[in-house]
Amino acid sequence: MARPFQKIGHGLDRFSFRRRRSASSSSPLSLASDDGDSCPMEAPAGAAPSSRRALSRSCGSKGRLLLDPPAPLAGGPSDKSAAASSSSEPPPKPAPREGPPSDAEMVREKFSKLLLGEDMSGTGKGVSSALALSNAITNLAASVFGEQRRLQPMADEQKARWGTEIDWLLSVADHIVEFVPSQQVSPDGTSMEIMVTQQRQDLQMNIPALCKLDAMLLEYLDGFKGEQEFWYVKKGADESEKAARQDDKWWLPTVRVPPNGLSESYRKWLQHQKDLVAQVLKAAMAINANVLMEMEVPEAYMESLPKNGKSSLGDSMYKLITDDYFDPEELLSSVDLTEEHNIVDLKNRIEASVVIWQKKMTHKDTKLSWGHGISHEKRGMFEGRAENVLLLIKHRFPGIAQSSLDISKIQYNRDIGLAILESYSRTLESLAFTVMSRIEDVLNADLAAQDRMNVESMRVPSLSTDETDKVVSDAKAEVEKFRRMEPVSPTLFDYVGPRDQGLNTYTSNEDTNGPKLTKVTSIATRRFSYLEKLEHLGGTRSPVARH
């Protein structure tokens, strides 16, 4: 007869296990290890079953039971309790990492912000990738070079941060490529022309040049390491040591030089450093100007312009530019350039007129109204004159703020390569201008010390109080002496006498033996009319009427 079906956990092994357990003379908690050693553990007589189970589990770390307990029923209460206990326990948390974040984490965070367009909320309101990358380079330069208020080397930590993070941002340019033709030679010797990718030409030329300018600026700053012939006044110094700055940059520290000024050799070396930094500044300005020129003028800027260049420039400035004889210096002298906002306003007006003239020159097919049109040749000449004025302003005032046209181009630009070149060259231009300004502060302090020394050398030594009183008393006595003096020589009145006396000869009243006037001619007192004078001189009168 076949054995009936038995559920899991209710077989004959379960009952045989119970019989062996009750018949055993040893402790019910006897365990056997793998190597045969027993681990007898006896519980107290009145111990609860739960304590026995705990005791058996604690002994299980050393060995195992002689017979494994049967598996519980599938879906039984034991499975539900285990599932509930496993679900109630939270997942293990990763151990917090101590110290600064790694480079991989920083790169992941920085580029995730760039991909989202600086909008971490996820709403899709971020800026374009080109503008986000430009802002990232600008913010990095501001955080690293923003505190460069002294003429001294950069801190090693700041220099390492600048070199690392600018390399991350410039690595994007490695993937901006273009197709160029190339020759490929097959194994059988035949050659064919194929298209390969390489970095875009403007990036391939300008990025290494900008990196070289960056390294040169940091090298010039490292040249001021160690003891120098100038120093800066500390914040906690006395008011006597602090001198008010002559310009409006009150937040910059005051430079001090020795009383006799800088030495001749150090002054020449400092001037040479200034010339080198000026060359770096000109190179960065040239690259930045070329990049901005390649950017397209946004439509939003074009819509904000007036209809003609005369409305943008004004009557007086338009007359100077359109005159037959043009002098850019005369135009700049007609505007007050002492304030920065006046310079920016002049730059905005001239750039607007240039854009208007360029737009009208590109639309040559449009018909001009009779008597009010300007030929394209003249517009081209006016445009060239205005660009010369803009170039002169940029070189004369390199540290002024950006114009409206430049800001609009950067904001609406979509070319990531141009955004990298423009922002990198602009940050280097700002750093070079800052270093050159700090060198000029030292040179101005040296010039002031030399002027002060020259004034002190030319000053007349002052008299003491006793000597001053003596000089004053002598001067007063001399004045009194001249007042009491009588005339020693006869005057003209003594010789001539009164006019109403008709005397012919007079002698001196003071000296009778003196020289005598033999005869004095009589003085005429009668006044002649104009006609009588003519008759006396032999002239003739005008003819008299005949009747």
Side-chain angles (χ1 to χ4, degrees), residues 335-340 342-343:
V335 184
D336 182 17
L337 301 179
T338 57
E339 299 293 338
E340 183 177 359
N342 293 336
I343 304 173

Side-chain angles (χ1 to χ4, degrees), residues 229 258 260-268 446:
E229 294 188 11
N260 298 332
L262 302 174
S263 62
E264 188 65 24
S265 59
Y266 190 83
R267 188 183 300 111
K268 290 182 179 179
D446 174 59

Side-chain angles (χ1 to χ4, degrees), residues 110-123:
K110 188 175 291 294
F111 279 91
S112 62
K113 185 181 294 186
L114 293 178
L115 290 174
L116 293 175
E118 299 178 351
D119 180 24
M120 304 301 291
S121 62
T123 57

Side-chain angles (χ1 to χ4, degrees), residues 12-264:
L12 296 176
D13 295 337
R14 183 175 181 183
F15 298 100
S16 63
F17 170 71
R18 290 180 179 176
R19 285 195 297 270
R20 285 196 302 269
R21 181 180 177 186
S22 60
S24 177
S25 59
S26 62
S27 173
L29 299 175
S30 60
L31 301 172
S33 60
D34 294 337
D35 54 358
D37 297 336
S38 62
C39 179
M41 301 181 66
E42 296 182 0
S50 61
S51 63
R52 294 178 184 177
R53 287 194 297 270
L55 188 60
S56 66
R57 283 195 298 268
S58 64
C59 189
S61 60
K62 296 183 179 180
R64 61 180 177 82
L65 291 172
L66 294 174
L67 291 175
D68 295 335
L73 294 174
S78 60
D79 291 344
K80 295 180 181 179
S81 61
S85 62
S86 63
S87 62
S88 61
E89 295 179 359
K93 296 181 180 180
R97 187 178 181 277
E98 298 180 356
S102 61
D103 291 347
E105 295 176 355
M106 294 178 63
V107 171
R108 190 181 303 112
E109 179 183 1
K110 188 175 291 294
F111 279 91
S112 62
K113 185 181 294 186
L114 293 178
L115 290 174
L116 293 175
E118 299 178 351
D119 180 24
M120 304 301 291
S121 62
T123 57
K125 297 180 180 179
V127 298
S128 63
S129 300
L131 183 58
L133 192 57
S134 176
N135 292 340
I137 296 177
T138 304
N139 296 335
L140 174 62
S143 61
V144 174
F145 303 120
E147 298 297 327
Q148 195 69 26
R149 301 180 179 178
R150 300 171 183 262
L151 198 58
Q152 60 186 8
M154 290 179 58
D156 296 337
E157 181 181 357
Q158 296 290 335
K159 188 186 300 184
R161 179 194 171 192
W162 167 255
T164 303
E165 296 192 16
I166 197 63
D167 288 343
W168 294 345
L169 298 175
L170 292 179
S171 63
V172 180
D174 298 337
H175 304 278
I176 303 176
V177 296
E178 60 183 358
F179 285 102
V180 294
S182 177
Q183 294 290 334
Q184 183 181 15
V185 180
S186 59
D188 57 356
T190 60
S191 62
M192 63 179 65
E193 185 177 6
I194 61 173
M195 301 297 289
V196 296
T197 59
Q198 71 174 15
Q199 191 178 18
R200 208 167 68 185
Q201 187 176 3
D202 57 343
L203 302 176
Q204 191 176 4
M205 292 176 58
N206 291 324
I207 286 184
L210 292 174
C211 292
K212 180 64 175 178
L213 297 178
D214 188 359
M216 291 171 64
L217 282 177
L218 297 181
E219 182 181 355
Y220 296 154
L221 284 176
D222 291 339
F224 294 95
K225 185 183 299 182
E227 186 176 357
Q228 305 293 327
E229 294 188 11
F230 63 92
W231 65 93
Y232 292 92
V233 178
K234 298 181 179 180
K235 293 183 178 180
D238 299 335
E239 293 296 334
S240 59
E241 296 183 4
K242 293 182 179 181
R245 295 183 61 93
Q246 300 298 328
D247 50 7
D248 55 349
K249 300 178 182 179
W250 52 267
W251 62 89
L252 296 176
T254 306
V255 186
R256 288 295 190 182
V257 296
N260 298 332
L262 302 174
S263 62
E264 188 65 24

Side-chain angles (χ1 to χ4, degrees), residues 217-522:
L217 282 177
L218 297 181
E219 182 181 355
Y220 296 154
L221 284 176
D222 291 339
F224 294 95
K225 185 183 299 182
E227 186 176 357
Q228 305 293 327
E229 294 188 11
F230 63 92
W231 65 93
Y232 292 92
V233 178
K234 298 181 179 180
K235 293 183 178 180
D238 299 335
E239 293 296 334
S240 59
E241 296 183 4
K242 293 182 179 181
R245 295 183 61 93
Q246 300 298 328
D247 50 7
D248 55 349
K249 300 178 182 179
W250 52 267
W251 62 89
L252 296 176
T254 306
V255 186
R256 288 295 190 182
V257 296
N260 298 332
L262 302 174
S263 62
E264 188 65 24
S265 59
Y266 190 83
R267 188 183 300 111
K268 290 182 179 179
W269 177 81
L270 200 62
Q271 185 65 37
H272 179 64
Q273 294 297 110
K274 178 185 174 182
D275 296 338
L276 293 178
V277 176
Q279 295 297 326
V280 175
L281 176 62
K282 291 180 180 179
M285 289 175 58
I287 295 177
N288 185 264
N290 291 333
V291 173
L292 287 174
M293 193 178 300
E294 292 179 4
M295 291 184 180
E296 297 182 358
V297 180
E299 291 295 333
Y301 179 80
M302 297 289 293
E303 294 175 356
S304 64
L305 295 178
K307 294 183 178 180
N308 49 36
K310 186 176 181 180
S311 302
S312 176
L313 291 174
D315 295 338
S316 60
M317 197 176 302
Y318 180 79
K319 184 178 181 181
L320 290 175
I321 290 181
T322 58
D323 195 6
D324 295 337
Y325 174 75
F326 172 70
D327 186 9
E329 293 291 343
E330 182 181 357
L331 189 145
L332 294 179
S333 61
S334 63
V335 184
D336 182 17
L337 301 179
T338 57
E339 299 293 338
E340 183 177 359
H341 66 273
N342 293 336
I343 304 173
V344 177
D345 179 66
L346 175 62
K347 189 177 178 181
N348 290 334
R349 292 159 61 186
I350 295 178
E351 284 182 345
S353 63
V354 170
V355 173
I356 292 172
W357 288 330
Q358 288 178 350
K359 181 181 178 180
K360 290 187 176 182
M361 288 178 63
T362 54
H363 297 78
K364 293 184 179 181
D365 297 335
T366 58
K367 296 182 179 180
L368 299 175
S369 59
W370 290 98
H372 298 282
I374 300 177
S375 62
H376 296 287
E377 291 78 10
K378 286 189 176 181
R379 281 203 181 99
M381 182 178 64
F382 298 160
E383 178 191 352
R385 291 177 176 181
E387 288 180 352
N388 291 336
V389 177
L390 287 175
L391 187 62
L392 190 61
I393 292 175
K394 289 180 180 180
H395 283 280
R396 183 174 296 185
F397 308 100
I400 60 174
Q402 290 180 324
S403 62
S404 301
L405 178 59
D406 296 343
I407 295 174
S408 181
K409 284 184 176 181
I410 295 171
Q411 181 180 358
Y412 292 96
N413 175 48
R414 294 296 182 267
D415 193 327
I416 298 179
L418 294 180
I420 293 175
L421 292 178
E422 191 280 329
S423 56
Y424 194 21
S425 61
R426 176 163 39 86
T427 54
L428 294 181
E429 178 184 344
S430 177
L431 177 60
F433 180 75
T434 302
V435 175
M436 193 169 65
S437 300
R438 301 294 85 81
I439 296 177
E440 288 179 352
D441 291 343
V442 179
L443 293 176
N444 291 336
D446 174 59
L447 184 61
Q450 290 182 355
D451 293 342
R452 187 166 53 251
M453 185 175 59
N454 294 335
V455 169
E456 291 179 356
S457 62
M458 295 173 62
R459 184 180 301 169
V460 178
S462 59
L463 300 174
S464 61
T465 306
D466 299 337
E467 293 176 347
T468 304
D469 296 341
K470 183 179 179 182
V471 171
V472 172
S473 60
D474 293 345
K476 289 181 178 180
E478 194 73 19
V479 171
E480 289 293 333
K481 181 179 179 181
F482 278 108
R483 284 180 180 177
R484 289 193 298 266
M485 289 179 64
E486 297 180 354
V488 294
S489 59
T491 62
L492 183 61
F493 180 79
D494 297 332
Y495 290 106
V496 178
R499 294 182 58 183
D500 53 353
Q501 297 180 6
L503 301 178
N504 293 331
T505 57
Y506 287 90
T507 57
S508 176
N509 297 330
E510 300 294 333
D511 190 4
T512 56
N513 299 324
K516 297 181 180 181
L517 291 176
T518 58
K519 186 176 182 180
V520 178
T521 58
S522 60

Side-chain angles (χ1 to χ4, degrees), residues 527-544:
R527 295 182 179 180
F528 298 93
S529 63
Y530 174 72
L531 297 178
E532 293 176 346
K533 287 182 180 180
L534 289 177
E535 293 177 355
H536 179 70
L537 293 175
T540 58
R541 294 186 179 184
S542 59
V544 185

